[in-house]
Structures are given as structure tokens and as C-alpha cells.
């Protein structure tokens, strides 16, 4: 699992960095999470293939999280995209995007599939044989969701030494990896556990931006390998955080500790802060394994 942070600042683009956007690379998928202004430039800069993006997840309809989407869709059209594009986001997102296409008379030749969200409880919004994705209802000034990405258990690992010892024909390998036992021609049954090793533990990634401090979400993200949680403000602006329904670094760390996650990544920084080290200093007393998001950063999860 790889996380490409394309933008991690709040509000407007600046010389310091870009508004929110991330690419999560998981089990052959490239999921785009939020799409602030300039996202497609960041995709180009970091050599991420546009053609591999088939699912886009928009947390809410504040501009720094979706103003880059219409431009990205237009670029897909110019590049001759044919595959359908799935877009998950709040009710109203479809209306905004289609209005821009209509006014500009620039309809796509590929299909846009909108999955509009209005539920205020966690719901599963995507599943295939490798990945499950659910919403994380957040507490912000407008309807907002985070997203929880979870791997499914992989196939069992073939123990080459064991299958060689038992002289198992390669024709059985596919079923063995699926967990099935082997019945030899002589009638002898070889249990699967003798032929395979356990697969790696499935990983999970919780994305939470934007939100006020809300302990309720800890139950929904319990035990996640990585939590990205907004930390727009420091404690010195705690009153502003409450007023705008954002979080401080300390509050994000409290969420991480209560949820029992393994790693906390802080992001969505207000551009008022020129140096970000203070975010780590305020989070560490509550949760020790914390890192800062940075535009262009690639993390292996």
C-alpha cells in the first residue's frame, strides 16, 4: 500500500503548498482522495498515470477539496479516455460538475458514474475481491465524510519446499493458494496448512479531513494501520478550531490514541503557520508515532 500526498494545506493554494489531494495505491488500484485546485498538475509532477484513476472520493464540497475535479475531468476527455469514471461524494457534486460541462458544451465521451452520499452513519460504498471502502461520517460545517480503505485477506502463500516434497503437480497450485486441500491420485489427502504459509495481515488506511474533534469516529477506525487526520490549527488557535469545526494537532493525536492506530499523519495545515514542527510537538504528548504530511511525499504503508 502506497500513499502519495499531492497536497496537504487548507483553504487556498499558496507558494507553500497545494490544497488537499491524495492518491492511495492499493492492490492494483489508484484511488484519488479529494481533488483540490492544481491536483492534475501534481499528478503530472509526480508521474502518476491518469489512466489508472477510475475512482475518485470527495469528502465534502468546500473548494479546497474539489475545485480541481472539473479540470481533471476535462483533461481525461482531452486524453481520449474511454473507461467510465466513478465519483463518490456528497449530494450536489453531480449537479455542480454537470452544470459546468453543460455551460461549456464539453460533455465527456466516457461515462461519469456519480455515487452521491447523504448517510450520516458509516456505509460501505465500494467492494471488489481485493478492497473494501466505507465512509467515516465527520463533524464539519457542511456534510462531510472521511473514507476507510481496507484490504481483503490475500491468497495463501505457496510453500514451494512443501509442494516439492509432496511432489504436487502445478495444476493444483491455484486451488492450494485459495485454501483448498489436495487429494492425490493414490487417495492420500494433503491438508492445505502443510502446503501454504499465512498471507500478510490486511492493511487499512483511514482518511479524516475536515472535522472538529469527534471521539465518535474512533470506533469506526479502530486499529487502522495509518490514520490521516486534519490538524488545521495549533492550540494557540483552539478557539478558531472550534468555531470553524476543525481540529488541532493535539486533538488529532487524542483520536489516534483512542482508536489504537499504528501511525498518525497530520495534514490540512493552515497556511498561517510557516514552520510545522510545532504540530509534532503538540501531538507527541498524546500519541508518539506521528508524522507530518508534505506535498509530494510518498509513504509506504
Amino acid at each position: 500500500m502506497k500513499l502519495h500526498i499531492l497536497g496537504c494545506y487548507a483553504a487556498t493554494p499558496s507558494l507553500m503548498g497545494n490544497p488537499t489531494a491524495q492518491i492511495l495505491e492499493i492492490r492494483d488500484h489508484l484511488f484519488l482522495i479529494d481533488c483540490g485546485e492544481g491536483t492534475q498538475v501534481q499528478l503530472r509532477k509526480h508521474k502518476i498515470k491518469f489512466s489508472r484513476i477510475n475512482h475518485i472520493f470527495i469528502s465534502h464540497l468546500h473548494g479546497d477539496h474539489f475545485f480541481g475535479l472539473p479540470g481533471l475531468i476535462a483533461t481525461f476527455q482531452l486524453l481520449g479516455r474511454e473507461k467510465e469514471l466513478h465519483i463518490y461524494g456528497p449530494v450536489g457534486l453531480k449537479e455542480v460538475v454537470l452544470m459546468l460541462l453543460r455551460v461549456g458544451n464539453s460533455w465527456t465521451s466516457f461515462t461519469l458514474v456519480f455515487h452521491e452520499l447523504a448517510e450520516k452513519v458509516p456505509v460501505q460504498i465500494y467492494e471488489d475481491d481485493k478492497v473494501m471502502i466505507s465512509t467515516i461520517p465527520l463533524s464539519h460545517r457542511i456534510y462531510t465524510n472521511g473514507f476507510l480503505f481496507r484490504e481483503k485477506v490475500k491468497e495463501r502463500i505457496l510453500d514451494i519446499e512443501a509442494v516439492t516434497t509432496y511432489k504436487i503437480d502445478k495444476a493444483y497450485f491455484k486451488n492450494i493458494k485459495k485454501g483448498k486441500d489436495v487429494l492425490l491420485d493414490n487417495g492420500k489427502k494433503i491438508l492445505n496448512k502443510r502446503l501454504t504459509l499465512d498471507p500478510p495481515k490486511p492493511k487499512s488506511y483511514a482518511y479524516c479531513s475536515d472535522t472538529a474533534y469527534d471521539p465518535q469516529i474512533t470506533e469506526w477506525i479502530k486499529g487502522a494501520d495509518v490514520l490521516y487526520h486534519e490538524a488545521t490549527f495549533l492550540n494557540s488557535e483552539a478557539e478558531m478550531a472550534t468555531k470553524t469545526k476543525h481540529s488541532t494537532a493535539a486533538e488529532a493525536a487524542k483520536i489516534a490514541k483512542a482508536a489504537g492506530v499504528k501511525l498518525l499523519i497530520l495534514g490540512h495545515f493552515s497556511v498561517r503557520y510557516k514552520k510545522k514542527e510545532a504540530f509534532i510537538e503538540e501531538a507527541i504528548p498524546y500519541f508518539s508515532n506521528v508524522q507530518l504530511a508534505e506535498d509530494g511525499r510518498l509513504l509506504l504503508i
Side-chain angles (χ1 to χ4, degrees), residues 70-112:
L72 181 59
I73 291 173
T75 297
F76 281 149
Q77 173 66 15
L78 291 172
L79 293 175
R81 183 187 180 99
E82 297 180 353
K83 290 186 295 184
E84 64 184 20
L85 179 67
H86 292 260
I87 303 172
Y88 307 76
V91 171
L93 181 59
K94 178 179 179 180
E95 178 185 1
V96 171
V97 171
L98 293 186
M99 179 186 68
L100 289 171
L101 295 176
R102 182 173 64 253
V103 170
N105 192 26
S106 52
W107 299 106
T108 63
S109 57
F110 59 93
T111 302
L112 293 173

Side-chain angles (χ1 to χ4, degrees), residues 8-20 37 63-65 67 268-272:
C8 64
Y9 284 86
T12 60
S14 73
L15 295 177
M16 293 173 59
N18 296 275
T20 302
E37 185 177 345
D64 56 328
H65 292 261
F67 276 177
H268 200 262
F269 309 111
S270 169
V271 294
R272 73 184 63 206

Side-chain angles (χ1 to χ4, degrees), residues 201-202 204 218-226 256 258-262:
K201 182 180 177 182
S204 58
T218 59
E219 292 302 314
W220 304 328
I221 63 174
K222 186 75 70 177
D225 289 275
V226 177
V261 304
K262 294 174 182 163

Side-chain angles (χ1 to χ4, degrees), residues 27 30 38 47 77 98 110 113 116 134 141 157 159-160 201-202 208 210 227 229 256 283 286:
R27 303 290 293 275
L30 285 188
K47 297 179 173 57
Q77 173 66 15
L98 293 186
F110 59 93
V113 182
E116 292 197 301
S134 302
R141 301 192 305 277
I157 300 172
D159 186 334
I160 298 300
K201 182 180 177 182
C208 295
D210 300 8
L227 165 64
H229 195 290
Y286 303 97

